[in-house]
Amino acid sequence: VVRLVEAGSTEEWRAILETNVLGTLVACRAALRHMLPRGTGNIVNMTSVSAKEAWPYMAAYAGSKAAVYAITQALRREVSERGVRVMTISVHNIGTEFGLGFDPAVLPHAGRRWEELGLLNRQAAILQPDDVARAIVFMVSQPDPMSVHELEVRSRAN
């Protein structure tokens, strides 16, 4: 959802928070039920560069991704001594269906603002989901006890 907070919808915010924050917690809990008894496992939570850059027009989304980042840090501290690695991958401008639902009346204004703030370079290559998958493989393939706690994946020009 791309819109200013002043025009925001509680229902849209609730959906974003339930998907990104509650969904992450539920998925982590489900994974831990299998990993902790075995004393091993990898959890990679997906977040966005907007978690730290806080893009205008995307306050709820950015906030939800910042929450995922904080949840991941806390969870890492809860379970790392029990053999589970918990990592975060932050992505930017990946060619997925993410932007398809953006309001076409608002998107041009948001895009201009993102460019003005240096958050988006429209000439930068759009990365593909396979690029993110390779980064995740890199993260989880590191030998124990090494952990790539955080990784940011974006085009060189962004």
Side-chain angles (χ1 to χ4, degrees), residues 65-78:
K65 290 302 188 174
V68 170
Y69 180 79
I71 288 164
T72 304
Q73 287 185 310
L75 181 58
R76 180 182 312 118
R77 291 180 175 116
E78 289 180 13

Side-chain angles (χ1 to χ4, degrees), residues 1 5 13 15 27 62 71 79 81 104 137 152:
V1 176
V5 170
W13 295 338
I71 288 164
V79 301
E81 295 299 316
V137 168
E152 186 174 297

Side-chain angles (χ1 to χ4, degrees), residues 16 21 29 36 59 67 70 72 76 84 90-91 98 106 114 120 132:
I16 290 168
V21 179
R29 181 182 61 198
L36 289 173
T72 304
R76 180 182 312 118
V84 177
S90 299
V91 299
F98 176 72
V106 177
W114 298 336
L120 178 64
V132 177

Side-chain angles (χ1 to χ4, degrees), residues 1 9-21:
V1 176
S9 155
T10 303
E11 294 78 28
E12 289 174 340
W13 295 338
R14 184 171 285 116
I16 290 168
L17 293 170
E18 286 183 0
T19 299
N20 293 342
V21 179

Side-chain angles (χ1 to χ4, degrees), residues 89 127-142 151 153:
I89 186 163
L127 300 181
Q128 297 305 308
D130 286 353
D131 299 316
V132 177
R134 279 192 305 282
I136 293 170
V137 168
F138 167 76
M139 294 173 81
V140 301
S141 67
Q142 299 309 306
L151 191 62
V153 176

